[in-house]
Amino acid sequence: MTSLNRLQTLAMGVPEMKQVSPCKAASGDDIVIVAGARTPMTRARKGAMKDTACADMLAVAIKAAVERAGVKPSDVDDVAVGNVGMDGAGALQARLAMLLAGLPQESSVQAVNRQCSSGLQTIAHTAAAIKSGFINIGIAAGVESMSAGAKKGPPKIGDLSGRLGESQTVRDCLTPMGVTSENVAKAYGISREVQDKFALKSYQKALAAQQNGKFDKEIAPITVKVKNAEGKTVKMTVTKDEGPRPTTLEGLQKLKPSFAADGCSHAGNSSQTTDGAAAVVMCKRSTAVEKGLPILGVFRGFAVKGVPPKVMGIGPAFAIPAVLEQTGLTKNDIDAFELNEAFASQAVYCMDKLGLDETKVNPLGGAIALGHPLGCTGTRATVTLLNHLQDTNKNTGIVSMCIGTGMGAAAVFTRN
């Protein structure tokens, strides 16, 4: 049996028999998220934050999360920040941001890069640190300036390894993300029509959510300076995401393929390149009760699984079953899935493979409409999910995404 066959077998094995679940009873040892905040998400290279440094975006998200949590800045032990595009995962910028946000120099910081899941990985890191007793209160965050990232050239292949010729799987790790989307579409028969219809729904849901104020309480406004089309620097305050917009199926169908002449992935059914930052404050439930802090949600479990690099987008189809098994849940127990829409092809594949109820998937739209600031997405999606569970009086959700080079990550959260 090949590795892909084994992974496909796992994907089909979403637990159907309900087990005794650790998600049912509240405990003082539960790892809770007491508050979260994010900046608006703006278009890379063209949007309001195209000239804003990662440290400045991140500082706004951290400061807002701390204020909403009601914790003393001096009580924050550590900050974990996810980033993909900056050197060293942006460790220097993360330190600048936490200090600009008003945290004391005695608080520490770490930088994390697990590519597109970086912002979710920081939540898992922080939960583990709290659970182990290493820290009491931590901040998990993510930030990305894809505007800045666009100015950097790709690494020279020869600098990556001198042994690329030894393994096709190793070489597949270098496959451009858009090409992996085309690979998924071809391998699993995901037509352009299906992808375009999925993308249209993402735009419609996100635009409706924005117009109805569903994102307002999670967004922290940010004041920035940006160069306009005339080259003049203007000051403005950004309060809303720039991605959602009226879209038609006819408009999507007119777009040319972006990654292959005969392909089906294009700018309208792929995630938008975006700038943004998000942060959450975490501690044990007992600490929250002792300090009189609010509880936005509870972290319940986290899993990462590897998949073939050339079809990296299928990762959530294997990470989601793993985290369901870990937490003793079935897919039917989940009220909402924040499934990152890196590409419509892979999102559709994962939904179909797992048999997910599409009404539960990205109820407020996804990355096709809202954008995918790489290191920020996991934290942003968590903030969105937890606010949605609060608003709808639902209890359980999953955040999941594919990861470049061939992985998938997923985490379970509950409202209480």
Side-chain angles (χ1 to χ4, degrees):
M1 181 180 287
T2 67
S3 60
L4 182 55
N5 291 148
R6 288 193 295 271
L7 287 166
Q8 288 173 331
T9 299
L10 173 61
M12 296 174 64
V14 179
E16 296 294 343
M17 296 298 292
K18 194 161 186 175
Q19 305 171 27
V20 177
S21 170
C23 296
K24 298 303 179 184
S27 165
D29 288 333
D30 289 341
I31 307 302
V32 301
I33 294 173
V34 297
R38 68 173 179 89
T39 67
M41 294 189 292
T42 63
R43 295 182 299 163
R45 303 184 301 280
K46 298 178 181 179
M49 295 195 296
K50 68 182 179 66
D51 301 315
T52 302
C54 277
D56 298 337
M57 289 189 285
L58 182 57
V60 168
I62 292 175
K63 181 176 173 58
V66 169
E67 290 176 348
R68 293 174 185 182
V71 300
K72 296 178 181 178
S74 58
D75 284 343
V76 176
D77 298 308
D78 191 47
V79 181
V81 178
N83 178 265
V84 177
M86 291 188 289
D87 293 339
L92 171 59
Q93 292 88 335
R95 180 65 168 168
L96 298 180
M98 59 160 284
L99 295 172
L100 289 169
L103 300 186
Q105 63 183 10
E106 289 77 16
S107 298
S108 55
V109 70
Q110 58 176 298
V112 176
N113 182 353
R114 200 197 280 268
Q115 302 197 69
C116 296
S117 70
S118 298
L120 188 61
Q121 185 67 56
T122 60
I123 292 174
H125 274 357
T126 302
I130 294 169
K131 195 78 172 178
S132 67
F134 293 161
I135 64 174
N136 292 317
I137 297 177
I139 291 174
V143 64
E144 201 72 49
S145 172
M146 297 187 78
S147 294
K151 301 174 184 177
K152 296 173 62 176
K156 295 180 180 179
I157 293 179
D159 293 340
L160 296 175
S161 172
R163 301 176 58 189
L164 296 176
E166 297 180 18
S167 166
Q168 182 61 52
T169 303
V170 171
R171 292 193 295 277
D172 286 344
C173 290
L174 307 181
T175 307
M177 294 299 97
V179 176
T180 71
S181 175
E182 296 292 357
N183 290 344
V184 170
K186 290 178 181 178
Y188 304 108
I190 313 297
S191 70
R192 170 158 177 170
E193 180 182 8
V194 168
Q195 293 177 56
D196 286 351
K197 287 181 177 179
F198 177 87
L200 178 62
K201 289 180 181 179
S202 183
Y203 277 108
Q204 291 172 334
K205 290 184 289 186
L207 186 60
Q210 186 179 67
Q211 292 173 339
N212 291 322
K214 297 297 184 181
F215 301 124
D216 291 353
K217 66 181 179 181
E218 65 191 58
I219 291 177
I222 180 171
T223 299
V224 301
K225 293 180 180 180
V226 60
K227 288 184 180 179
N228 61 22
E230 290 74 39
K232 295 181 179 180
T233 299
V234 297
K235 189 175 183 180
M236 61 186 299
T237 298
V238 191
T239 61
K240 292 186 178 296
D241 300 320
E242 293 179 347
R245 55 184 179 268
T247 306
T248 66
L249 184 59
E250 292 74 21
L252 293 172
Q253 290 171 337
K254 292 178 182 178
L255 296 175
K256 295 181 179 180
S258 299
F259 310 109
D262 61 345
C264 51
S265 294
H266 55 75
N269 62 22
S270 304
S271 57
Q272 297 183 38
T273 55
T274 311
D275 303 327
V280 296
V281 180
M282 303 175 65
C283 62
K284 283 188 177 181
R285 187 189 295 272
S286 57
T287 301
V289 171
E290 177 187 344
K291 294 181 177 293
L293 307 178
I295 295 178
L296 180 62
V298 187
F299 172 87
R300 295 297 186 178
F302 175 74
V304 183
K305 290 293 179 180
V307 299
K310 65 181 179 182
V311 287
M312 67 91 203
I314 68 175
F318 308 102
I320 289 173
V323 80
L324 286 172
E325 182 176 12
Q326 180 189 116
T327 54
L329 298 172
T330 77
K331 63 184 179 183
N332 297 325
D333 294 313
I334 307 304
D335 298 304
F337 294 85
E338 279 289 325
L339 175 63
N340 189 44
E341 300 165 355
F343 301 95
S345 61
Q346 56 82 212
V348 169
Y349 168 83
C350 293
M351 287 174 54
D352 290 350
K353 192 67 178 177
L354 297 176
L356 303 184
D357 180 347
E358 70 172 315
T359 64
K360 294 182 177 182
V361 177
N362 299 341
L364 306 181
I368 288 173
L370 292 167
H372 176 24
L374 307 177
C376 167
T377 287
T379 318
R380 193 284 304 169
T382 299
V383 172
T384 298
L385 172 69
L386 293 179
N387 277 284
H388 175 69
L389 293 178
Q390 293 283 347
D391 290 344
T392 57
N393 201 33
K394 301 294 185 180
N395 193 60
T396 309
I398 281 180
V399 174
S400 185
M401 67 282 293
C402 56
I403 305 170
T405 71
M407 290 175 279
V412 171
F413 299 89
T414 58
R415 182 168 57 88
N416 49 40

